[in-house]
Coordinates of all heavy atoms in Angstrom, one line a residue:
A1 N 163.6 96.9 6.6 CA 162.8 97.2 5.5 C 162.5 98.8 5.4 O 162.9 99.4 6.4 CB 161.4 96.5 5.5
I2 N 162.0 99.2 4.3 CA 161.5 100.6 4.2 C 160.3 100.8 5.1 O 159.4 99.9 5.0 CB 161.2 101.0 2.8 CG1 162.4 100.7 1.9 CG2 160.7 102.4 2.7 CD1 163.6 101.6 2.1
D3 N 160.2 101.8 5.9 CA 159.0 101.9 6.7 C 158.0 102.8 5.9 O 158.3 103.4 4.9 CB 159.4 102.7 8.0 CG 158.7 102.0 9.2 OD1 158.0 101.1 9.0 OD2 159.0 102.4 10.3
G4 N 156.8 102.9 6.5 CA 155.8 103.8 5.8 C 154.7 103.1 5.1 O 154.2 102.1 5.6
K5 N 154.4 103.5 3.8 CA 153.3 102.9 3.1 C 153.5 101.5 2.6 O 152.6 100.8 2.3 CB 153.0 103.8 1.9 CG 154.1 103.8 0.8 CD 153.7 104.8 -0.3 CE 154.7 104.8 -1.4 NZ 154.3 105.5 -2.6
Y6 N 154.8 101.0 2.6 CA 155.0 99.7 2.1 C 154.7 98.6 3.0 O 154.9 98.7 4.2 CB 156.5 99.6 1.6 CG 156.8 100.6 0.5 CD1 157.5 101.7 0.8 CD2 156.2 100.5 -0.8 CE1 157.8 102.7 -0.2 CE2 156.5 101.5 -1.7 CZ 157.3 102.5 -1.4 OH 157.5 103.5 -2.3
K7 N 154.2 97.4 2.6 CA 153.8 96.3 3.4 C 154.9 95.2 3.4 O 154.5 94.1 3.6 CB 152.5 95.8 3.0 CG 151.4 96.8 3.0 CD 150.1 96.2 2.4 CE 149.0 97.3 2.3 NZ 149.1 98.1 1.2
D8 N 156.2 95.5 3.2 CA 157.2 94.5 3.1 C 157.1 93.6 4.3 O 157.3 94.0 5.4 CB 158.6 95.2 3.0 CG 158.8 95.9 1.6 OD1 158.5 95.2 0.6 OD2 159.1 97.0 1.6
S9 N 156.9 92.3 4.0 CA 156.8 91.3 5.1 C 157.5 90.1 4.7 O 157.8 89.8 3.6 CB 155.4 91.1 5.4 OG 154.6 90.7 4.3
L10 N 157.7 89.2 5.8 CA 158.4 87.9 5.6 C 157.4 86.8 6.1 O 156.8 87.0 7.1 CB 159.7 87.8 6.4 CG 160.9 88.4 5.7 CD1 162.1 88.4 6.7 CD2 161.3 87.8 4.4
K11 N 157.5 85.7 5.5 CA 156.9 84.5 6.0 C 158.0 83.6 6.4 O 159.0 83.5 5.6 CB 156.0 83.8 4.9 CG 154.8 84.5 4.6 CD 154.0 83.8 3.5 CE 152.7 84.6 3.2 NZ 151.9 83.9 2.1
I12 N 157.9 83.0 7.6 CA 158.9 82.1 8.1 C 158.4 80.7 8.0 O 157.3 80.4 8.4 CB 159.3 82.4 9.6 CG1 159.7 83.9 9.7 CG2 160.3 81.5 10.1 CD1 160.8 84.4 8.8
W13 N 159.2 79.8 7.4 CA 158.8 78.4 7.2 C 159.8 77.5 7.7 O 161.0 77.8 7.7 CB 158.6 78.1 5.7 CG 157.6 79.0 4.9 CD1 157.8 80.3 4.6 CD2 156.3 78.6 4.5 NE1 156.7 80.7 3.9 CE2 155.8 79.7 3.8 CE3 155.6 77.5 4.5 CZ2 154.5 79.7 3.2 CZ3 154.3 77.4 3.9 CH2 153.8 78.5 3.3
I14 N 159.4 76.2 8.1 CA 160.4 75.2 8.6 C 160.0 73.9 7.9 O 158.8 73.6 7.9 CB 160.4 75.1 10.1 CG1 161.0 76.4 10.7 CG2 161.2 73.9 10.6 CD1 161.1 76.4 12.2
S15 N 161.0 73.2 7.5 CA 160.8 71.8 7.0 C 161.7 70.9 7.8 O 162.8 71.2 8.1 CB 161.2 71.7 5.5 OG 161.3 70.4 5.1
T16 N 161.1 69.7 8.1 CA 161.9 68.7 8.8 C 162.3 67.5 7.9 O 162.9 66.5 8.4 CB 161.1 68.1 10.0 OG1 159.8 67.6 9.5 CG2 160.7 69.2 11.0
S17 N 162.1 67.7 6.6 CA 162.5 66.6 5.7 C 163.5 67.1 4.6 O 164.5 66.4 4.5 CB 161.2 66.0 5.0 OG 160.5 67.0 4.3
D18 N 163.2 68.1 3.8 CA 164.0 68.5 2.8 C 163.8 69.9 2.5 O 163.0 70.6 3.1 CB 163.9 67.6 1.5 CG 162.4 67.5 1.1 OD1 161.7 68.6 0.9 OD2 161.9 66.4 0.9
S19 N 164.5 70.4 1.4 CA 164.3 71.8 1.1 C 163.4 72.1 -0.1 O 163.4 73.2 -0.7 CB 165.7 72.4 0.7 OG 166.3 71.8 -0.4
L20 N 162.5 71.1 -0.4 CA 161.4 71.3 -1.4 C 160.4 72.2 -0.9 O 159.9 72.0 0.3 CB 160.9 70.0 -1.9 CG 161.9 69.0 -2.6 CD1 161.2 67.7 -2.8 CD2 162.5 69.6 -3.8
L21 N 159.9 73.2 -1.6 CA 158.9 74.1 -1.1 C 157.6 73.4 -0.5 O 157.1 73.8 0.5 CB 158.5 75.1 -2.1 CG 159.6 76.1 -2.6 CD1 159.0 77.1 -3.5 CD2 160.4 76.7 -1.5
I22 N 157.2 72.3 -1.1 CA 156.1 71.6 -0.6 C 156.2 71.0 0.8 O 155.2 70.7 1.4 CB 155.6 70.5 -1.6 CG1 154.2 70.0 -1.4 CG2 156.7 69.4 -1.7 CD1 153.6 69.2 -2.5
S23 N 157.5 70.9 1.2 CA 157.8 70.2 2.5 C 157.7 71.2 3.7 O 157.7 70.8 4.8 CB 159.1 69.6 2.5 OG 159.2 68.6 1.4
F24 N 157.6 72.5 3.4 CA 157.7 73.5 4.4 C 156.3 73.8 5.1 O 155.3 73.7 4.4 CB 158.2 74.8 3.9 CG 159.7 74.8 3.7 CD1 160.3 74.3 2.5 CD2 160.6 75.2 4.8 CE1 161.7 74.3 2.4 CE2 161.9 75.2 4.6 CZ 162.5 74.7 3.5
R25 N 156.3 74.2 6.4 CA 155.1 74.5 7.1 C 155.4 76.0 7.6 O 156.5 76.3 8.2 CB 154.9 73.6 8.3 CG 153.8 74.0 9.2 CD 153.6 73.0 10.3 NE 154.7 73.1 11.3 CZ 154.7 73.8 12.4 NH1 153.7 74.7 12.6 NH2 155.7 73.8 13.2
M26 N 154.4 76.9 7.4 CA 154.6 78.3 7.8 C 154.5 78.4 9.3 O 153.5 77.9 9.9 CB 153.6 79.2 7.1 CG 154.0 80.7 7.4 SD 153.0 81.8 6.4 CE 151.4 81.7 7.1
V27 N 155.4 79.1 10.0 CA 155.4 79.3 11.4 C 155.2 80.7 11.9 O 154.9 81.0 13.0 CB 156.7 78.7 12.1 CG1 156.7 77.2 11.9 CG2 157.9 79.4 11.6
D28 N 155.4 81.7 10.9 CA 155.2 83.1 11.3 C 155.0 83.9 10.0 O 155.5 83.5 8.9 CB 156.4 83.6 12.1 CG 156.1 84.9 12.8 OD1 154.9 85.3 12.9 OD2 157.1 85.6 13.2
Y29 N 154.4 85.1 10.2 CA 154.2 86.0 9.0 C 154.2 87.4 9.7 O 153.4 87.7 10.5 CB 152.9 85.7 8.3 CG 152.6 86.5 7.1 CD1 153.6 87.0 6.3 CD2 151.3 86.8 6.8 CE1 153.3 87.7 5.1 CE2 151.0 87.6 5.7 CZ 152.0 88.0 4.9 OH 151.7 88.8 3.7
F30 N 155.1 88.3 9.3 CA 155.2 89.6 10.0 C 155.7 90.7 9.0 O 156.4 90.4 8.1 CB 156.1 89.6 11.2 CG 157.5 89.3 11.0 CD1 158.4 90.3 10.9 CD2 158.0 88.0 10.7 CE1 159.8 90.1 10.6 CE2 159.3 87.7 10.6 CZ 160.2 88.8 10.5
K31 N 155.2 91.9 9.3 CA 155.7 93.1 8.6 C 157.1 93.5 9.2 O 157.2 93.6 10.4 CB 154.8 94.3 8.6 CG 155.3 95.5 7.8 CD 154.3 96.7 8.0 CE 154.8 97.8 7.2 NZ 156.1 98.3 7.5
V32 N 158.1 93.6 8.3 CA 159.4 93.9 8.8 C 159.5 95.4 9.0 O 159.0 96.2 8.3 CB 160.5 93.5 7.7 CG1 161.9 93.8 8.2 CG2 160.3 92.0 7.4
D33 N 160.2 95.8 10.2 CA 160.3 97.2 10.6 C 161.4 97.9 9.8 O 162.3 97.3 9.2 CB 160.7 97.3 12.0 CG 159.5 96.8 12.9 OD1 158.3 97.0 12.5 OD2 159.8 96.4 14.0
G34 N 161.3 99.2 9.8 CA 162.2 100.2 9.2 C 162.8 101.0 10.3 O 162.8 100.6 11.4
P35 N 163.3 102.2 10.0 CA 163.4 102.8 8.7 C 164.6 102.3 7.8 O 165.4 101.4 8.3 CB 163.6 104.3 9.0 CG 164.4 104.2 10.4 CD 163.8 103.0 11.0
A36 N 164.7 102.8 6.7 CA 165.8 102.5 5.7 C 167.1 102.5 6.5 O 167.4 103.5 7.2 CB 165.8 103.4 4.5
G37 N 167.9 101.5 6.3 CA 169.3 101.5 6.8 C 169.4 100.9 8.2 O 170.5 100.8 8.7

């Protein structure tokens, strides 16, 4: 991700049943590191 003032982050989810969003459970949430490239 771009580093600095931006808070670009990812949530990581896992489902054991199907790919419907309601089936997922969040397992992590983190700010992605930079710098650009």
